[in-house]
């Protein structure tokens, strides 16, 4: 068995597209988070809902910025 | 009286026999060189020598190694020494490499250094074999005159011996020296000596004893640019996200005859055939195929005079230093590029990952005085080991790069006196758990998440001074 070449987990051609997609979703979720923060009152606010949308937004923004770094040639 | 003289005679006899035994042991009479042919190539700044020795075992016991001797001046400039033996007849001839090791001998005169070549099968009494040796010497050509003006040609001295330095008796030998052109100013004549075109031939000489040496000097024109990289630091950074980043930091010097007087740019541009013949303005770098994001800069910015040619087998980068380099002038610059990961990083059967990369300097026909290769492994790599086909100094370092917490393990390989013959692949093995690839995205995610947590906290905490209604 010959040694197998190690490749990137995602094809490097996808990085710009993935970056745009993830950042877009991330920013939309961020927007909805802030809309929720601004429109809800102190009493009606649910911490769980806030935490879930914050986690979603940060996941998408985190991966989006990682792919943005990779797409621009900053190989982390 | 008679008794003392008898004792003296016995003592003398003992002393003499002891001497003769010592001589028998030390002069190693088992091997005789039937014919020696040495072809020396001094056309480039790097001296390459091909040596063909036909050795015969003239003794009674078996011989398993053959010694090669080098004068101290050559030994300190020896960059690589390879030996091989030819097997098979004419067309099916194959060369089998032999192992070469430094050796010590008490009877080597004037600091001559010995290397022993281990034969594949011991040579029986009366048998003969042919050993081929190839070695490369650097910094052996001495410019003379040491300083030349812009319009002069560069002349160099080559010093060697007309006869081969060897610990054995040589029956017949011949030495030929190939110069870059037929412009040879002078050469020492040791009869029979002949010169045909650009080739100088010493010999054939017959029956020279062990360690015979007759110095010769050849003074000839060599207008090759003496490009010497005084220091080269190569950084190879592995990213498992799909790229290999390489940064080469060069300290280049023209080690030929020093430039004298002023530099006239006008003369240099208009009379290119006669002005500054020993200087150089281009350098050719051989890069691997599928190279991308190539840059070339020095301390004060980007240098745009470069050409990159890419085809499926290799990439060539032709660069012009900021100014033409004359003798004694230096240039410091950096070349960087990226390479696809799958061409160089592999996973072996036992699950270890390894980098397979070429050692040595990518500039063609260039010697490197001090080469440092730094292989920067991804964060989370463990147990790095390097496999290099020749001896190098190695140690470990920690490098910090983008999004690092504990730092990246770096394998540092150092070697002095590197020639193009050292451009052979080496491997760096390491253990890596793919889960560590998630460290970077997790770091980014937690940074963004902290921002959200701060927002949530701000909204939930009442910061007003007055009593809330």
């Amino acid at each position: 068995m010959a040694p197998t070449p190690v490749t990137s987990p995602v094809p490097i051609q996808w990085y710009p597209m993935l970056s745009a997609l993830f950042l877009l979703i991330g920013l939309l979720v961020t927007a909805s988070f802030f809309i929720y923060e601004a429109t809800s009152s102190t009493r009606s606010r649910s911490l769980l809902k806030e935490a879930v949308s914050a986690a979603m937004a940060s996941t998408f923004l985190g991966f989006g910025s990682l792919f943005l770094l990779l797409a621009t040639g900053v190989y982390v | 009286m008679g008794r003392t003289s008898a004792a003296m005679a016995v003592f003398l006899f003992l002393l003499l026999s002891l001497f003769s035994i010592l001589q028998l042991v030390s002069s190693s009479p088992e091997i005789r060189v039937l014919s020696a042919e040495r072809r020396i190539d001094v056309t480039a700044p790097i001296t390459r020598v091909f040596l063909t020795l036909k050795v015969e075992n003239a003794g009674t016991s078996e011989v398993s190694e053959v010694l090669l001797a080098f004068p101290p001046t050559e030994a300190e400039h020896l960059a690589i020494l390879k030996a091989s033996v030819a097997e098979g007849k004419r067309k099916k001839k194959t060369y089998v490499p032999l192992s070469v090791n430094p050796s010590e001998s008490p009877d080597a005169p004037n600091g001559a250094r010995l290397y022993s070549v281990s034969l594949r099968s011991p040579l029986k009494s009366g048998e003969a074999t042919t050993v081929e040796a190839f070695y490369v010497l650097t910094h052996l050509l001495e410019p003379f005159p040491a300083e030349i003006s812009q319009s002069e040609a560069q002349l160099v001295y080559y010093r060697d011996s007309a006869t081969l330095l060897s610990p054995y008796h040589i029956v017949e030998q011949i030495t030929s020296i190939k110069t870059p052109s037929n412009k040879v100013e002078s050469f020492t004549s040791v009869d029979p000596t002949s010169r045909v075109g650009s080739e100088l031939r010493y010999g054939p000489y017959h029956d020279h004893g062990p360690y015979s040496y007759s110095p010769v000097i050849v003074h000839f024109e060599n207008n090759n640019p003496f490009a010497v990289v005084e220091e080269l630091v190569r950084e190879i950074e592995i990213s498992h996200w799909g790229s290999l980043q390489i940064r080469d930091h060069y300290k280049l010097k023209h080690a030929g005859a020093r430039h004298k007087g002023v530099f006239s740019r006008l003369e240099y541009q208009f009379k290119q055939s006669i002005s500054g013949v020993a200087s150089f303005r281009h350098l050719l770098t051989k890069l691997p195929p599928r190279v991308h994001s190539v840059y070339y800069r020095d301390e004060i910015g980007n240098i745009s005079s470069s050409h990159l040619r890419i085809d499926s087998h290799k990439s060539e980068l032709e660069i012009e230093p900021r100014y033409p380099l004359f003798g004694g002038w230096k240039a410091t610059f950096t070349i960087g590029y990226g390479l696809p990961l799958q061409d160089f990083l592999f996973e072996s059967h036992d699950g270890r990952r390894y980098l397979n990369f070429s050692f040595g300097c990518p500039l063609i026909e260039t010697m490197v005085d001090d080469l440092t290769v730094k292989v920067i492994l991804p964060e989370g790599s463990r147990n790095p080991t390097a496999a290099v086909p020749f001896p190098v100094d190695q140690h470990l370092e920690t490098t910090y790069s983008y999004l690092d917490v504990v730092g990246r393990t770096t394998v540092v390989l150092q070697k002095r006196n590197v020639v193009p013959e050292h451009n052979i692949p080496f491997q760096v093995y390491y253990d890596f758990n793919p889960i560590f690839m998630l460290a970077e995205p997790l770091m980014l995610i937690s940074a963004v998440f902290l921002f959200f947590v701060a927002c949530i906290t701000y909204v939930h905490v009442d910061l007003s001074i007055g009593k809330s209604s």
Side-chain angles (χ1 to χ4, degrees):
Chain A
M1 196 183 81
T4 45
V6 177
T7 51
S8 54
V10 179
I12 51 171
Q13 297 86 348
W14 296 5
Y15 285 155
M17 194 196 53
L18 280 175
S19 156
L21 190 73
F22 278 43
L23 283 177
L24 187 73
I25 298 172
L27 288 173
L28 285 176
V29 180
T30 311
S32 81
F33 170 82
F34 281 111
I35 290 167
Y36 180 73
E37 293 288 295
T39 53
S40 60
S41 65
T42 323
R43 285 192 188 78
S44 66
R45 220 172 265 147
S46 142
L47 191 65
L48 184 74
K49 212 172 170 184
E50 283 172 320
V52 166
S53 65
M56 266 181 70
S58 51
T59 308
F60 278 107
L61 285 180
F63 272 104
S65 51
L66 173 82
F67 288 133
L68 183 67
L69 283 174
L70 294 172
T72 51
V74 180
Y75 280 90
V76 292
Chain B
M1 187 70 190
R3 215 171 171 192
T4 37
S5 62
M8 276 283 272
V10 168
F11 178 70
L12 264 176
F13 175 74
L14 275 177
L15 206 69
L16 273 175
S17 52
L18 192 73
F19 261 104
S20 57
I21 288 168
L22 266 178
Q23 214 166 10
L24 264 176
V25 169
S26 61
S27 62
S28 59
E30 303 96 44
I31 295 182
R32 210 157 58 116
V33 178
L34 293 179
S35 71
E37 191 192 350
R38 196 161 46 133
R39 294 187 305 281
I40 304 166
D41 184 353
V42 287
T43 53
I46 302 169
T47 311
R48 293 184 169 87
V49 185
F50 297 89
L51 180 67
T52 309
L53 287 177
K54 195 173 180 198
V55 289
E56 186 199 42
N57 186 356
T60 47
S61 54
E62 287 188 345
V63 173
S64 60
E65 55 185 29
V66 175
L67 293 174
L68 299 174
F70 292 93
T73 47
E74 282 186 16
E76 66 185 275
H77 294 129
L78 188 69
I80 200 162
L81 169 62
K82 285 196 267 192
S84 61
V85 65
E87 285 200 347
K89 288 277 174 335
R90 295 190 180 278
K91 279 195 178 166
K92 288 177 186 164
K93 215 173 190 182
T94 49
Y95 287 95
V96 185
L98 302 173
S99 72
V100 184
N101 294 303
S103 169
E104 291 287 330
S105 174
D107 61 334
N110 296 335
R113 294 268 293 277
L114 294 174
Y115 286 85
S116 82
V117 178
S118 310
L119 297 173
R120 290 188 76 216
S121 52
L123 205 60
K124 293 191 186 72
S125 177
E127 275 186 347
T129 187
T130 306
V131 176
E132 307 253 354
F134 167 69
Y135 54 96
V136 180
L137 303 159
T138 56
H139 295 289
L140 210 62
L141 301 179
E142 184 203 333
F144 188 85
E147 284 190 344
I148 53 169
S149 68
Q150 193 176 336
S151 56
E152 282 176 304
Q154 179 172 267
L155 297 165
V156 293
Y157 272 150
Y158 175 69
R159 292 187 175 84
D160 203 345
S161 165
T163 56
L164 176 70
L165 190 74
S166 172
Y168 310 122
H169 182 91
I170 304 175
V171 179
E172 189 186 9
Q173 60 177 314
I174 194 161
T175 296
S176 61
I177 300 173
K178 195 172 185 308
T179 53
S181 65
N182 48 19
K183 288 177 187 159
V184 177
E185 289 282 303
S186 66
F187 57 92
T188 315
S189 186
V190 182
D191 280 333
T193 305
S194 63
R195 185 163 82 91
V196 181
S198 62
E199 197 177 276
L200 198 61
R201 191 178 283 259
Y202 284 99
Y205 302 117
H206 298 279
D207 290 318
H208 273 275
Y211 295 113
S212 62
Y213 194 81
S214 62
V216 292
I217 293 184
V218 187
H219 193 203
F220 59 96
E221 188 177 311
N222 190 338
N223 280 324
N224 277 305
F226 279 44
V228 175
V229 181
E230 291 186 314
E231 196 186 344
L232 170 59
V233 180
R234 307 196 72 186
E235 290 174 356
I236 303 163
E237 192 176 324
I238 301 169
S239 165
H240 280 145
W241 290 98
S243 184
L244 210 62
Q245 297 292 318
I246 290 138
R247 290 179 294 273
D248 296 341
H249 306 282
Y250 291 91
K251 273 188 190 150
L252 185 74
K253 190 191 175 187
H254 188 308
R258 281 194 308 280
H259 181 248
K260 184 172 69 179
V262 292
F263 166 59
S264 162
R265 168 69 74 172
L266 191 72
E267 199 186 321
Y268 190 74
Q269 294 295 113
F270 281 94
K271 301 179 193 161
Q272 287 191 2
S273 56
I274 54 156
S275 179
V277 278
S279 72
F280 58 91
R281 61 173 84 195
H282 299 291
L283 284 168
L284 196 63
T285 315
K286 217 167 229 166
L287 304 179
R290 288 180 290 285
V291 65
H292 64 84
S293 331
V294 184
Y295 62 87
Y296 164 47
R297 59 181 171 77
D298 64 10
E299 271 174 4
I300 48 174
N302 176 51
I303 312 170
S304 55
S305 309
S306 54
H307 308 281
L308 180 66
R309 291 183 285 267
I310 299 181
D311 66 33
S312 56
H313 302 294
K314 62 174 190 310
S315 311
E316 279 182 346
L317 176 68
E318 194 184 62
I319 55 174
E320 282 180 34
R322 206 170 269 277
Y323 38 84
L325 277 177
F326 280 86
W329 292 15
K330 295 181 183 184
T332 309
F333 56 88
T334 301
I335 298 176
Y337 48 94
L339 289 167
L341 188 70
Q342 64 269 23
D343 290 4
F344 300 96
L345 196 71
F346 302 94
E347 191 164 331
S348 56
H349 326 297
D350 54 352
R352 298 196 81 188
R353 296 187 174 199
Y354 70 93
L355 171 82
N356 187 34
F357 205 74
S358 171
F359 199 84
C361 173
L363 289 178
I364 61 161
E365 276 300 298
T366 308
M367 50 184 136
V368 185
D369 288 344
D370 203 344
L371 174 67
T372 308
V373 178
K374 292 184 178 180
V375 181
I376 305 171
L377 302 173
E379 208 174 20
S381 312
R382 280 174 295 118
N383 310 325
T385 46
V388 191
F390 34 79
V392 290
D393 295 334
Q394 45 179 288
H395 65 271
L396 293 177
E397 269 182 12
T398 308
T399 314
Y400 291 93
S401 177
Y402 309 110
L403 302 178
D404 280 347
V405 181
V406 292
R408 304 184 184 205
T409 313
T410 305
V411 182
V412 184
L413 307 169
Q414 278 176 312
K415 181 157 177 59
R416 295 190 61 78
N417 216 359
V418 178
V419 288
E421 276 74 11
H422 285 115
N423 289 7
I424 39 180
F426 72 100
Q427 289 82 31
V428 174
Y429 290 84
Y430 61 97
D431 291 323
F432 186 78
N433 190 344
I435 206 84
F436 279 106
M437 282 181 75
L438 286 175
E440 285 104 5
L442 279 179
M443 213 179 295
L444 290 165
I445 289 168
S446 43
V448 182
F449 192 71
L450 277 178
F451 167 71
F452 282 110
V453 169
C455 288
I456 295 170
T457 326
Y458 173 74
V459 171
H460 280 258
V461 175
D462 190 2
L463 290 173
S464 55
I465 298 167
K467 216 175 174 187
S468 59
S469 52

